[in-house]
Amino acid sequence: MAGVRPFATLRYEKRGAVAVVALDRPEVLNAYNVAMRDDLHAALGAADEDPEVRALVLCGRGPAFSTGGDVREFGTAPSPFVARAVRWRRDVWGRLLELRAATIAAVHGYAVGGGMEMALLCDLCVAADDARFALPETGLGMIPGVGGTQTLPRKAGPARALDLVLTGRWLDARAALAAGLVQRVVARARLEAAALTLARRLVRLDPAEVQALRRAVRGAHDLSLEAGIALERRLALALQRRP
């Protein structure tokens, strides 16, 4: 595609005002390594710098969304902790969280560890009926490293988040929907179409309004009710005052 270089570990394409980023290491269930870190950082940057992009769909090719960190890299570093630190050196997740465009995770198969956390960083998540979620890091002597301890309680509540983080237990798609991690569950064959339909609905909205709404809703977790209402009022007035 013109203006965006090809990537070794993912595919990037535009469908009108929607950017689609597909993780593309299906032979290892889209495990996340240093090369994917660099590619994803660049692809998200390309989407953010493109004024035409108003929504982004993050998905995975092959049988899974992502199984998190590539354990094969653990053997090339002094410890799993060092291996993970190398993979996370660039702030890919901050870039994903702060994109101008609304973000949708389209999840199928396994979304494990960092894979689950990638989905949690997106604004919305559409899951296929074969999706399975888990955060197994505790069993490896680590804590989630892609913001899961922060995004999970914001979506599922502290008690459920502690249960999932401490036990590492699995959730199927319907359980994830009930827990608030997923907003829609569809048949596997309909996942791509459902995610794109939702994205195209979002791109019809005023981008400034979308950004203001995302900021207001996210602020609800960090502000007092009084401060949150004041933020909502400021954002609404700013939209009204635009030329």
Side-chain angles (χ1 to χ4, degrees), residues 116 125 127 131-133 155-156 160 171-183 185:
M116 176 175 170
C125 181
R132 297 188 69 202
F133 300 83
K155 296 199 175 188
R160 187 176 277 119
L171 293 179
D172 62 20
R174 292 293 174 186
L177 177 67
L181 310 184
V182 167
Q183 284 69 55
V185 174

Side-chain angles (χ1 to χ4, degrees), residues 38-146:
D38 293 342
D39 283 349
L40 193 52
H41 192 269
L44 294 174
D48 208 32
E49 293 163 9
D50 187 339
E52 295 179 354
V53 172
R54 296 189 176 189
L56 182 141
V57 174
L58 180 64
C59 58
R61 298 190 70 247
F65 178 73
S66 175
T67 52
D70 190 339
V71 296
R72 296 181 303 176
E73 284 189 341
F74 289 2
T76 64
S79 75
F81 302 95
V82 172
R84 185 162 73 173
V86 171
R87 292 198 311 275
W88 299 161
R89 192 163 290 157
R90 282 186 173 175
D91 189 13
V92 176
W93 317 122
R95 172 160 273 187
L96 176 59
L97 190 62
E98 298 302 325
L99 281 182
R100 292 181 302 101
T103 52
I104 300 167
V107 176
H108 73 286
Y110 293 120
V112 180
M116 176 175 170
E117 293 173 273
M118 279 190 250
L120 290 172
L121 284 166
C122 293
D123 296 317
L124 300 170
C125 181
V126 181
D129 51 14
D130 68 344
R132 297 188 69 202
F133 300 83
L135 292 174
E137 289 91 342
T138 301
L140 300 173
M142 299 185 288
I143 68 171
V146 189

Side-chain angles (χ1 to χ4, degrees), residues 212-235:
L213 286 167
R214 292 163 75 207
R215 183 180 172 191
V217 171
R218 288 175 181 176
H221 295 282
D222 304 311
L223 301 171
S224 67
L225 178 59
E226 181 181 23
I229 291 173
L231 173 62
E232 178 185 84
R233 186 178 300 117
R234 288 196 304 273
L235 292 169

